[in-house]
C-alpha cells in the first residue's frame, strides 16, 4: 500500500470515528452501527485501492530471479505485505507481484507454501523467504540501502 492509500485509510477511519462518537451521544446503538458500517466501507475501499498497487507480471518477474533481484509475492490487505512495501520503498532490485492479479503467481505462492496463500513470500534465486523483515531482505540482496555507497572505516 502506498503512502497515499495509507493516509486515506487513516483519515477515513478518523472521520468514521468522529461520526460514530457524535451519533453515540444521541443514541449509542445508532453510533455503533454507524461505526461498524463506516469501518467496513473504509477497509473495502483500501483493499480495492490496493488491488491496483505495485504489480509486475509473474512472467516478467521470473526473468529477474537470480540476477540480484528479489520477487515479492504479495496481496492487498495483507498487513505484513504492506509493511514490507512501505519499508522497502521503490528499491529497483525488488519486483512486486500481486497474487490476486496473476493466476500463475497465485499458483506459485501456494505451491511454495503447502497450498496456503502465505504472503509476503519473497523469492531470491531459488530461495523462498516467508514474511522476511526489510532488513533481512536488504541483507540477502547484498547491501543495507540501495544506491548508497558504503562509508569507509574511520581511522
Amino acid at each position: 500500500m502506498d503512502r497515499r492509500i495509507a493516509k486515506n485509510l487513516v483519515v477515513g477511519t478518523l472521520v468514521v470515528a468522529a461520526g460514530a462518537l457524535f451519533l453515540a451521544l444521541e443514541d449509542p446503538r445508532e453510533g455503533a452501527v454507524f461505526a461498524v458500517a463506516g469501518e467496513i466501507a473504509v477497509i473495502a475501499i483500501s483493499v480495492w485501492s490496493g488491488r491496483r498497487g505495485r504489480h509486475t507480471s509473474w512472467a516478467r518477474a521470473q526473468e529477474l530471479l537470480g540476477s540480484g533481484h528479489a520477487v515479492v509475492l504479495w496481496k492487498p490487505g495483507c498487513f505484513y505485505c504492506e509493511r514490507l512495501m512501505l519499508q522497502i520503498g521503490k528499491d529497483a532490485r525488488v519486483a512486486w507481484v500481486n497474487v490476486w492479479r496473476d493466476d500463475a503467481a497465485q499458483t506459485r505462492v501456494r505451491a511454495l507454501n503447502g497450498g496456503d496463500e502465505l504472503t509476503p513470500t519473497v523469492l531470491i534465486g531459488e530461495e523462498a523467504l516467508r514474511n522476511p523483515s526489510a532488513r533481512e531482505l536488504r541483507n540477502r540482496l547484498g547491501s543495507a540501502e540501495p544506491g548508497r555507497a558504503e562509508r569507509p572505516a574511520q581511522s
Side-chain angles (χ1 to χ4, degrees), residues 4-70:
R4 178 183 50 83
I5 295 170
K7 183 177 118 185
N8 290 343
L9 183 58
V10 169
V11 170
T13 300
L14 291 175
V15 168
V16 167
L21 180 60
F22 178 75
L23 287 174
L25 294 174
E26 297 294 321
D27 180 358
R29 285 177 282 167
E30 192 174 329
V33 169
F34 182 83
V36 170
E39 207 50 42
I40 289 170
V42 167
I43 291 169
I45 289 168
S46 71
V47 169
W48 176 79
S49 297
R51 286 184 163 272
R52 297 185 322 229
R54 297 181 198 172
H55 179 66
T56 302
S57 72
W58 176 241
R60 171 68 181 122
Q62 284 181 293
E63 296 171 6
L64 298 173
L65 289 173
S67 62
H69 283 81

Side-chain angles (χ1 to χ4, degrees), residues 3-154:
R3 291 185 195 280
R4 178 183 50 83
I5 295 170
K7 183 177 118 185
N8 290 343
L9 183 58
V10 169
V11 170
T13 300
L14 291 175
V15 168
V16 167
L21 180 60
F22 178 75
L23 287 174
L25 294 174
E26 297 294 321
D27 180 358
R29 285 177 282 167
E30 192 174 329
V33 169
F34 182 83
V36 170
E39 207 50 42
I40 289 170
V42 167
I43 291 169
I45 289 168
S46 71
V47 169
W48 176 79
S49 297
R51 286 184 163 272
R52 297 185 322 229
R54 297 181 198 172
H55 179 66
T56 302
S57 72
W58 176 241
R60 171 68 181 122
Q62 284 181 293
E63 296 171 6
L64 298 173
L65 289 173
S67 62
H69 283 81
V71 173
V72 180
L73 301 172
W74 74 283
K75 63 186 171 200
C78 168
F79 170 79
Y80 302 104
C81 298
E82 292 164 1
R83 181 180 63 187
L84 185 63
M85 195 176 291
L86 286 172
Q87 291 173 345
I88 292 295
K90 296 188 182 207
D91 188 331
R93 302 171 298 172
V94 180
W96 298 86
V97 181
N98 182 338
V99 299
W100 286 357
R101 289 183 58 190
D102 195 311
D103 291 338
Q106 187 175 56
T107 299
R108 182 65 178 145
V109 78
R110 288 179 181 277
L112 288 166
N113 296 299
D116 294 328
E117 195 176 270
L118 178 65
T119 57
T121 295
V122 179
L123 304 174
I124 300 175
E126 296 296 317
E127 185 178 19
L129 308 173
R130 283 131 186 114
N131 192 20
S133 67
R135 178 180 294 178
E136 181 181 4
L137 177 52
R138 285 187 189 112
N139 286 343
R140 296 291 175 98
L141 287 172
S143 73
E145 292 289 331
R148 290 189 182 177
E150 294 293 320
R151 291 184 177 174
Q154 299 285 330

